[in-house]
Amino acid sequence: MNPRAAVLELPNDISAIETAVERAVHCCASARLARSRLMFNFRVGLTEALSNAILYGNGGDPRKRVWVELRVQSGEVRACVTDEGNGFDPDTVPDPRLPENIPRPDGRGIFLMRALMDEVHYNELGNSVTLVLREGTRAAP
Amino acid sequence: MTFNVRSVGDATVISVDGQLIVGNRQELKQKVLAELERGARRFVIDFTRTGYIDSSGLGILVSLSRSIRQERGDLRLASLNSDLRTLFELTKLDTLFEIHATLRDALAD
């Protein structure tokens, strides 16, 4: 198949996430990933990236926007989520699996993205994250 | 997505139909806390019809678990499919929650 590309623009509103994720899944159907990887890994990973962008990157500011750039080819999907915030250093986020962090209600989003996707890259500023999911590679489950 | 609340014996069963994510986590929290306020102490959350859970959904379960324990109550999770079960294992939250394979198992003493 020829690569496909699409861009979704979202308001900075968590209620927009679920619809955006379903639109992205629909766009990515032609990648022919296993159903579980698209319907679970990709949906959870993209939901995490969007909620981080809306709540933390854009600080919940309703005047800001979030963009999702999708690139789809056979056996691979890429989603780049960009916000209008000042970015952050993802390497400073603590491991939620440490015993002292397990009872905490927060701090699992970036960990889940990394666990469920094959690649997770941030830009230098930290306001844009690219998620890559491929067929037949290591990402859990 | 919806959260259906019903009583089964002395247990309050909340079914999650659809997703448990950042956009609807507060609705689940309000429903459970309202039942806790009314005196319910034994809770089972049934994931038979749940598609996926994000970190905010996991976080609200952690928060509810704490609130229920503070009232000397009990929270059990039931019917997680293999993908959802993996989420709990990856995050080690399977060590924090009592997880049962079926709703029937969760309702048993």
Side-chain angles (χ1 to χ4, degrees):
Chain A
M1 65 173 282
N2 292 324
R4 289 184 57 194
V7 177
L8 309 178
E9 182 175 343
L10 283 72
N12 204 56
D13 181 347
I14 57 171
S15 68
I17 291 176
E18 190 170 2
T19 300
V21 169
E22 296 317 309
R23 287 179 62 194
V25 166
H26 182 74
C27 288
C28 293
S30 60
R32 300 185 185 283
L33 300 184
R35 178 176 171 80
S36 172
R37 291 173 68 77
L38 188 60
M39 300 302 280
F40 190 79
N41 294 50
F42 183 71
R43 288 204 293 183
V44 175
L46 185 55
T47 299
E48 299 297 346
L50 289 171
S51 59
N52 282 346
I54 290 169
L55 294 174
Y56 302 111
N58 283 344
D61 185 341
R63 296 167 298 182
K64 293 184 175 176
R65 313 287 289 179
V66 174
W67 293 270
V68 183
E69 297 175 57
L70 296 166
R71 292 189 62 82
V72 184
Q73 58 185 319
S74 183
E76 180 184 290
V77 297
R78 286 176 178 264
C80 179
V81 176
T82 303
D83 60 58
E84 296 185 77
N86 295 321
F88 77 113
D89 181 356
D91 293 330
T92 61
V93 177
D95 186 340
R97 299 168 299 174
L98 293 174
E100 64 269 29
N101 292 332
I102 291 173
R104 292 183 53 154
D106 54 5
R108 297 182 177 86
I110 292 172
F111 171 80
L112 283 183
M113 278 194 287
R114 287 176 167 156
L116 296 175
M117 308 300 288
D118 290 304
E119 294 178 25
V120 176
H121 306 290
Y122 284 85
N123 67 353
E124 192 170 348
L125 180 60
N127 73 330
S128 182
V129 61
T130 299
L131 313 175
V132 182
L133 189 65
R134 300 189 182 93
E135 188 52 63
T137 47
R138 61 149 189 91
Chain B
M1 81 297 280
T2 56
F3 303 108
N4 293 308
V5 181
R6 67 187 192 278
S7 295
V8 180
D10 66 343
T12 300
V13 178
I14 301 103
S15 302
V16 179
D17 288 3
Q19 281 57 257
L20 174 56
I21 60 173
V22 63
N24 66 352
R25 60 183 168 158
Q26 291 300 333
E27 183 184 348
L28 175 66
K29 184 176 183 179
Q30 287 165 7
K31 284 182 184 282
V32 172
L33 293 183
E35 295 298 323
L36 193 63
E37 183 77 15
R38 289 191 193 102
R41 291 294 179 268
R42 189 174 171 210
F43 291 86
V44 178
I45 300 184
D46 178 13
F47 293 99
T48 302
R49 298 170 62 87
T50 307
Y52 64 101
I53 304 173
D54 71 358
S55 64
S56 295
L58 294 174
I60 215 69
L61 295 174
V62 171
S63 174
L64 287 171
S65 171
R66 184 183 302 167
S67 299
I68 291 168
R69 279 202 310 271
Q70 282 174 349
E71 298 298 328
R72 302 188 179 199
D74 176 49
L75 172 63
R76 300 177 182 186
L77 310 182
S79 299
L80 297 158
N81 65 30
S82 62
D83 288 337
L84 296 178
R85 179 84 196 199
T86 299
L87 272 192
F88 283 80
E89 291 169 356
L90 284 170
T91 55
K92 296 193 182 296
L93 285 175
D94 58 330
T95 64
L96 194 71
F97 290 100
E98 188 176 334
I99 298 174
H100 293 266
T102 66
L103 177 59
R104 185 174 178 172
D105 290 347
L107 290 169
D109 286 329

